[in-house]
Amino acid sequence: MKKLILSLIVAVLLMSCETQNNTIVVSDIVTLNEAMENSSPGDEIVMQNGVWKDVQIKFRGKGTEDKPIILRAETPGKVSIEGKSYLKFGGQFLVVDGLHFKNGYSPSNAVVDFKISHKDTLDEIANNCKFTNSVIEDFNKPKRDNADLWVQFWGRHNELSNCYIAGKTNRGPTVRVSIEGIESINNYHQIINNHFGPRPVKGGPSGETIQLGNSFTSMSPSYTMVANNLFEECNGEVEVISSKTNFNEFKNNVFYKSEGSLVTRHGNYVTIDGNYFIGDGVNENYGGIRIINTGHWVTNNYFFNLKGKSFRSPLAVMNGIPKSPLNRYNQVTDVVVAYNTYVNCSSPWQFGVGQNLDQADVLPKSEIRSARAIRTTVANNIVYNENGLESIVVENDKADGVTFKNNIIDNQGVKFKDFDGGLVEASLDLKKLSDNIYIPTGVPDDFEAYNGFDFNTIQTDLLGASRKDDKSVGAITGKNVSNPNILDKSKYGATWYSNEIEPKEPKTFNVANAQDIQLKINEASNGDIISLAAGTYNLNQTLVINKTITIQSIGNNKSQLNFTGESNTPLFSLEPKGKLTVNNLVLKGNTSNYAFASLKENMSNHFGLTVSNSEITDFNYVLKAYKESFAERITFEDTTISNCENGIELSEETNDKGDYNTEYLTINNCNFNNVKENVIDYYRGGYDESTIGGNLLVSNSTFTNCGAKEANKILLNHRGIINVNITKNTFKNNPVGFVSILWGAKNNVESENVLSNSGQIKTEQNLKMKLMY
């Protein structure tokens, strides 16, 4: 009997030992490396709370499906990974949970990498590994042109989930699935339940939030799932997501005020089902879906208040290049667009986007996009507009390879082309589910959905209701309807983190002497105001701006800042995250220094500048933006600029790779007098349709005796900028040949300008540009 009891006790103890996890608490990189090296299935390695700086974590291990090896924060969000740091996975069934990457950058090619090295061994590449419940924010390389990825996938069955990722400003997609090598194709990766927060405009290409593969692996199968993510203000470039492999699926994602589109850039057989694309009814940069290549199904998607055109249309179907190389544009074939709903969008369907036959004289034949979409079906969709559109379908080239079937259109009585009865007019009502979701109702009872080939595979609607035996059209059948709360941020990202910021009233710091200006700038917080008492402030040291700040005069009289600093140094140094507003000031230089300038290097984040109701005189440069610096907005308004050697120079991105120094340059109601060169010099080089930015507005301004030293005899230089509007200005006695040379093939226009002894404004239809690839 005793032996039996003893045997039972031993068995219980053995079972306990087998199921008990081993928890190892580590306090530095040395103990962490030891714990990882000695880890076994089921172990938990716990990183103590605190700042972990300059840690390069190579997490090797072999867990099992039932007993993964877990590396986690002691308290989620309380372990900060800072400095020159990264995390690399190698092995299988590894989980990392609760880390916060901030205040640093990766010295490697990725912040989180599912591969440790390129050795062909199982412990160097990750399979069945997970990075979850973590945050990466503002973890940028010091230089904008230094490319990296914040998450790079390799291997198979890896997962990025419940993370918040935001703030990437340097070159390279935020997340990339790499599939070079047979060990990384057919990968079935999961990118799920994440909150991709704001990605600022990059000012050039290679600013995607997600890129799946690349041009040269685009014929490979990936099977990556991107689902249940929130993309909020992902504005890096024209492609929020760039799908470049086969058999990927994008399901139940929310694209909220993101200046770009979900793009099937390369690769085939993509499923885009049940996603929301939400705009504001004003911004034309908010896009939807852009289609290239073969075999895609676009179903059950909802488009609201999108006003984008061309590349950023709600649905843009591109022309291809005949016999296209892998890195260009294949013809669209065998695509289905069905059961989608468009509410208050600009022309929802645009075909032949990117056709460029009129540029044949400046582009090689291999660049001419003339292959129209074929064998494409658009069926069972609903379009509702509060204000009727001139065109429901925009044909940039003929849509003769597209079949339209059983689409219901309420265009408020404005007539439209019906494409052989495939677009049917009806009077509909709207049922509100939320501020951003309205269901068109009132489809005639006798109207039935088109039953196309394989349409039976579309089994549910946008909200998950069954489509079995249902004849309704549009994204929502009307059954089991309730508000899906798509903008409830608690449904996405890390459980412990929120990007919601409580608004605060700006604090005003009154200053009466020069030496206190920088002290108060340092003391201030983002959004605060430095108010200068009336008088003159003599400064010989640069003022450093590294936050959002306003500097202005108290009252109506302009305070004057006299800058006597060294040659080629600025009065205001616009550093990363430095966004300066100058209002009602007089700025005076010594003819050899600058009013405003970015850093010469290490501009790891954007700057910004607004100058209003001010006077700027006697500087070498009014604004000098160096290479690899970028401002989302630069604005001069109600301001006089006089007796300066150079004006506003934004022209150092001369590598012709599509980069430029600001997204929006606005000059309104200003006076330029005796500015000798670089009056406005704003440059974007390189031909590629994926760079469609750069915006210049010059309005209600006067230019007098400017441009005397302009070598090219052009007053306003804006070569390669896509959107240019020069309107209601006066040009007097400027010794130049041309005020401006506009790019006619792009959105360059001028109107109501007065020219007196100042050359001419010329439109050149096709500027010859250097190809970027």
Side-chain angles (χ1 to χ4, degrees):
M1 185 65 178
K2 289 181 179 180
K3 288 183 179 181
L4 178 58
I5 294 172
L6 183 60
S7 298
L8 289 172
I9 292 172
V10 169
V12 169
L13 288 173
L14 287 172
M15 290 176 62
S16 176
C17 290
E18 288 175 359
T19 58
Q20 183 177 9
N21 292 336
N22 188 22
T23 300
I24 308 103
V25 179
V26 296
S27 58
D28 55 36
I29 191 64
V30 174
T31 54
L32 173 57
N33 285 336
E34 290 174 353
M36 291 187 297
E37 183 176 354
N38 297 313
S39 62
S40 299
D43 284 355
E44 281 197 9
I45 303 169
V46 179
M47 299 173 70
Q48 285 187 340
N49 292 345
V51 174
W52 291 62
K53 189 172 184 180
D54 298 333
V55 290
Q56 295 164 19
I57 304 170
K58 297 179 179 179
F59 188 11
R60 291 182 177 90
K62 292 185 179 180
T64 65
E65 184 173 4
D66 295 332
K67 294 183 179 181
I69 301 170
I70 298 173
L71 171 62
R72 65 172 177 85
E74 178 183 0
T75 305
K78 298 297 184 181
V79 172
S80 296
I81 310 297
E82 304 186 12
K84 298 179 182 180
S85 299
Y86 60 65
L87 165 68
K88 295 179 182 290
F89 288 87
Q92 59 187 12
F93 294 106
L94 309 176
V95 177
V96 174
D97 186 331
L99 305 186
H100 192 174
F101 285 84
K102 63 180 182 178
N103 300 328
Y105 66 94
S106 171
S108 180
N109 65 322
V111 179
V112 175
D113 202 346
F114 286 90
K115 178 190 280 190
I116 292 177
S117 76
H118 289 274
K119 296 178 182 178
D120 189 20
T121 57
L122 290 177
D123 60 350
E124 296 299 303
I125 194 167
N127 293 289
N128 299 289
C129 293
K130 181 191 299 187
F131 182 67
T132 191
N133 195 35
S134 296
V135 169
I136 308 173
E137 58 175 344
D138 296 339
F139 213 69
N140 290 297
K141 297 271 194 184
K143 295 185 177 182
R144 182 173 71 154
D145 286 352
N146 288 355
D148 72 348
L149 307 159
W150 282 8
V151 181
Q152 184 169 24
F153 282 87
W154 301 90
R156 293 181 173 178
H157 298 286
N158 295 312
E159 180 179 307
L160 172 68
S161 60
N162 298 96
C163 290
Y164 177 79
I165 301 176
K168 195 173 195 292
T169 57
N170 64 308
R171 181 177 289 273
T174 308
V175 177
R176 177 189 284 158
V177 172
S178 296
I179 63 171
E180 291 90 346
I182 59 173
E183 68 277 4
S184 294
I185 65 173
N186 296 309
N187 54 66
Y188 295 94
H189 295 315
Q190 302 271 309
I191 302 173
I192 54 175
N193 304 319
N194 301 289
H195 182 176
F196 292 99
R199 175 161 188 174
V201 176
K202 177 188 167 289
S206 197
E208 304 94 333
T209 297
I210 295 178
Q211 183 187 78
L212 306 182
N214 60 42
S215 302
F216 301 104
T217 60
S218 59
M219 293 298 102
S220 300
S222 184
Y223 293 100
T224 295
M225 169 68 81
V226 180
N228 304 310
N229 302 286
L230 171 62
F231 296 87
E232 179 187 17
E233 296 179 22
C234 293
N235 301 338
E237 61 143 89
V238 68
E239 298 180 7
V240 178
I241 295 179
S242 186
S243 180
K244 297 185 174 184
T245 47
N246 292 325
F247 305 111
N248 298 313
E249 185 169 358
F250 304 93
K251 191 172 181 65
N252 299 337
N253 300 288
V254 178
F255 297 83
Y256 180 64
K257 295 184 178 180
S258 289
E259 293 186 349
S261 302
L262 193 172
V263 182
T264 63
R265 182 62 182 86
H266 300 302
N268 306 305
Y269 309 110
V270 167
T271 298
I272 304 174
D273 181 74
N275 303 280
Y276 299 83
F277 298 86
I278 309 297
D280 64 357
V282 177
N283 190 332
E284 293 185 0
N285 290 334
Y286 298 149
I289 297 170
R290 179 154 55 98
I291 296 295
I292 306 131
N293 281 62
T294 292
H296 311 305
W297 283 65
V298 179
T299 57
N300 291 320
N301 300 287
Y302 175 79
F303 305 80
F304 178 69
N305 264 354
L306 299 179
K307 299 302 179 181
K309 302 173 182 177
S310 187
F311 282 71
R312 289 184 167 109
S313 304
L315 179 76
V317 178
M318 290 197 66
N319 266 18
I321 297 171
K323 299 181 180 179
S324 174
L326 284 175
N327 67 332
R328 304 313 300 133
Y329 287 85
N330 283 316
Q331 185 177 23
V332 173
T333 72
D334 306 296
V335 167
V336 172
V337 179
Y339 294 109
N340 302 285
T341 295
Y342 304 80
V343 175
N344 291 334
C345 294
S346 61
S347 298
W349 300 314
Q350 298 210 16
F351 290 88
V353 171
Q355 74 87 7
N356 55 357
L357 295 170
D358 59 349
Q359 298 178 57
D361 56 340
V362 296
L363 293 175
K365 186 177 181 180
S366 61
E367 278 299 307
I368 301 303
R369 294 186 290 274
S370 59
R372 301 193 289 265
I374 59 174
R375 300 192 302 274
T376 291
T377 300
V378 177
N380 303 339
N381 302 284
I382 295 180
V383 176
Y384 178 94
N385 300 299
E386 288 180 347
N387 300 306
L389 300 173
E390 181 180 340
S391 298
I392 301 300
V393 178
V394 173
E395 294 180 275
N396 300 279
D397 200 349
K398 290 182 180 179
D400 53 4
V402 181
T403 299
F404 294 89
K405 291 287 187 180
N406 297 30
N407 300 283
I408 286 284
I409 314 295
D410 187 339
N411 203 38
Q412 304 300 328
V414 177
K415 297 302 180 183
F416 52 84
K417 183 177 177 180
D418 70 358
F419 289 88
D420 297 323
L423 276 60
V424 178
E425 186 176 12
S427 180
L428 305 176
D429 296 315
L430 286 182
K431 176 181 178 180
K432 182 177 179 180
L433 278 188
S434 72
D435 288 342
N436 295 302
I437 303 176
Y438 292 81
I439 304 174
T441 62
V443 175
D445 292 337
D446 60 350
F447 191 87
E448 292 189 358
Y450 170 69
N451 187 21
F453 179 77
D454 256 359
F455 276 35
N456 61 298
T457 62
I458 309 171
Q459 295 184 350
T460 58
D461 73 353
L462 174 65
L463 302 178
S466 174
R467 287 195 180 276
K468 186 177 181 181
D469 301 324
D470 190 284
K471 300 296 179 67
S472 59
V473 297
I476 301 172
T477 62
K479 299 178 294 187
N480 304 323
V481 173
S482 61
N483 183 3
N485 296 310
I486 59 172
L487 294 180
D488 177 1
K489 293 182 182 180
S490 68
K491 297 166 61 174
Y492 316 95
T495 57
W496 49 269
Y497 184 89
S498 172
N499 73 338
E500 297 290 340
I501 299 175
E502 289 290 330
K504 72 176 186 69
E505 289 295 319
K507 184 177 180 180
T508 299
F509 296 83
N510 293 322
V511 175
N513 55 73
Q515 59 266 33
D516 284 347
I517 298 177
Q518 186 68 65
L519 292 174
K520 294 304 180 183
I521 291 171
N522 296 343
E523 184 180 341
S525 300
N526 280 320
D528 287 346
I529 299 169
I530 309 297
S531 287
L532 304 181
T536 299
Y537 297 77
N538 295 313
L539 296 162
N540 59 15
Q541 296 292 320
T542 293
L543 297 173
V544 174
I545 307 298
N546 55 15
K547 62 190 69 171
T548 300
I549 203 83
T550 295
I551 301 178
Q552 64 185 24
S553 300
I554 297 175
N556 294 323
N557 294 326
K558 292 181 173 67
S559 301
Q560 180 166 323
L561 275 60
N562 291 336
F563 183 52
T564 59
E566 295 180 2
S567 297
N568 306 322
T569 63
L571 170 56
F572 294 100
S573 177
L574 302 170
E575 304 197 350
K577 297 188 178 183
K579 297 183 179 180
L580 172 65
T581 296
V582 167
N583 181 44
N584 200 36
L585 295 178
V586 175
L587 310 180
K588 185 176 178 61
N590 65 5
T591 73
S592 68
N593 50 29
Y594 307 162
F596 309 94
S598 67
L599 292 180
K600 288 185 178 180
E601 57 183 18
N602 296 335
M603 285 295 291
S604 61
N605 215 303
H606 296 350
F607 73 94
L609 177 64
T610 298
V611 180
S612 61
N613 193 32
S614 295
E615 300 172 21
I616 302 172
T617 64
D618 298 311
F619 285 96
N620 185 358
Y621 279 90
V622 175
L623 170 62
K624 176 73 169 177
Y626 290 98
K627 184 175 175 56
E628 298 185 89
S629 64
F630 186 78
E632 290 189 54
R633 294 185 181 273
I634 296 172
T635 301
F636 289 82
E637 56 188 359
D638 303 314
T639 290
T640 296
I641 296 172
S642 302
N643 301 322
C644 294
E645 288 294 315
N646 297 273
I648 299 165
E649 188 184 28
L650 303 157
S651 61
E652 291 217 353
E653 298 295 354
T654 56
N655 57 3
D656 290 346
K657 295 295 184 183
D659 294 321
Y660 45 101
N661 288 119
T662 186
E663 190 66 23
Y664 294 95
L665 174 60
T666 301
I667 311 294
N668 182 50
N669 200 33
C670 291
N671 291 305
F672 289 73
N673 304 302
N674 193 31
V675 179
K676 295 182 177 63
E677 60 183 317
N678 297 309
V679 180
I680 295 174
D681 196 356
Y682 181 18
Y683 181 83
R684 182 194 68 87
Y687 173 80
D688 184 79
E689 59 291 314
S690 66
T691 306
I692 61 175
N695 299 268
L696 172 63
L697 172 64
V698 183
S699 60
N700 306 302
S701 296
T702 300
F703 297 79
T704 306
N705 193 29
C706 293
K709 292 185 178 180
E710 288 287 5
N712 64 4
K713 298 300 181 181
I714 303 173
L715 185 68
L716 308 180
N717 286 276
H718 46 77
R719 183 174 175 84
I721 302 303
I722 302 299
N723 304 298
V724 176
N725 188 359
I726 300 172
T727 183
K728 298 180 181 178
N729 304 288
T730 299
F731 300 93
K732 298 187 298 184
N733 299 324
N734 299 290
V736 295
F738 297 97
V739 165
S740 166
I741 296 180
L742 300 169
W743 192 356
K746 301 299 181 181
N747 188 29
N748 284 204
V749 296
E750 65 91 13
S751 61
E752 299 182 64
N753 297 291
V754 177
L755 281 71
S756 175
N757 193 28
S758 297
Q760 60 180 305
I761 297 177
K762 175 185 176 182
T763 297
E764 188 170 320
Q765 186 63 23
N766 293 314
L767 293 179
K768 192 170 181 62
M769 302 287 286
K770 181 179 177 181
L771 295 179
M772 287 169 49
Y773 35 83

